[in-house]
């Protein structure tokens, strides 16, 4: 069966019987990947009672139904688990904490934590106030996590 080059989405074949099966599979994967969000992860153990349409990041040493799917995005559908291998630079939002995770070609990484300004021998209250506001705005956009 022909597949798309980036995410291996199934494509319809010439004179293919039951085209709706291939088309529906592709729609299920697109539904999970466009504006991708995951409930949690990376996790090695699949959730006990997943709901259709929910997604998780698979950890480095997956077990059970996730065996052999390290670092993939696991999608629960009415037909069971579907897995998508991530590509370098792919990002997802983790709903558990709002973190924006990026796949760096070997693992899912969260943005580095940035601490609020402190210390120094000369304290500039206005500068610290501006830096603190900037950090809050970057956090609100999901671009960093404060420490």
């Amino acid at each position: 069966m022909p597949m798309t080059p980036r995410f291996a989405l199934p494509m319809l074949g010439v004179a293919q019987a039951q085209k709706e099966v291939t088309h529906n599979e592709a729609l299920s994967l697109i539904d999970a990947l466009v504006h991708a969000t995951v409930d949690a992860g990376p996790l090695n153990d699949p959730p006990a009672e997943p709901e259709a349409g929910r997604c998780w990041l698979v950890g480095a040493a997956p077990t059970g139904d996730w065996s052999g799917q390290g670092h993939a995005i696991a999608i629960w559908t009415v037909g069971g688990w579907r897995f998508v291998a991530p590509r370098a630079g792919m990002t997802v939002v983790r709903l558990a904490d709002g973190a924006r995770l990026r796949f760096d070609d070997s693992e899912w990484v969260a943005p580095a934590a940035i601490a609020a300004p402190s210390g120094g021998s000369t304290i500039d209250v206005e500068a610290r106030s501006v830096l603190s506001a900037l950090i809050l705005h970057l956090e609100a956009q999901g671009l960093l996590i404060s420490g």
Side-chain angles (χ1 to χ4, degrees):
M1 171 183 310
M3 301 287 209
T4 62
R6 289 190 60 210
F7 290 112
L9 301 174
M11 296 174 64
L12 298 176
V14 176
Q16 175 182 335
Q18 296 184 325
K19 291 180 181 181
E20 69 278 2
V21 174
T22 302
H23 181 72
N24 290 344
E25 177 70 13
L27 287 177
S28 292
L29 294 172
I30 290 169
D31 185 52
L33 294 173
V34 174
H35 300 293
T37 60
V38 296
D39 283 29
L43 304 171
N44 288 318
D45 301 320
E49 297 181 22
E51 295 178 24
R54 306 301 285 261
C55 303
W56 291 264
L57 294 180
V58 178
T63 63
D65 290 343
W66 288 1
S67 290
Q69 300 294 334
H71 304 295
I73 298 174
I75 307 157
W76 181 253
T77 67
V78 293
W81 288 108
R82 300 290 186 269
F83 298 95
V84 175
R87 297 182 53 89
M90 187 174 183
T91 60
V92 299
V93 174
R94 184 170 52 201
L95 298 175
D97 60 2
R100 188 177 303 252
L101 303 173
R102 181 181 52 80
F103 190 71
D104 72 357
D105 206 25
S106 64
E107 65 182 333
W108 290 98
V109 293
I114 297 179
S118 64
S121 58
T122 303
I123 297 176
D124 183 338
V125 175
E126 288 179 13
R128 284 193 179 178
S129 174
V130 168
L131 288 173
S132 293
L134 177 61
I135 289 170
L136 285 174
H137 288 294
L138 291 172
E139 287 173 339
Q141 296 300 315
L143 298 175
L144 63 90
I145 300 171
S146 66

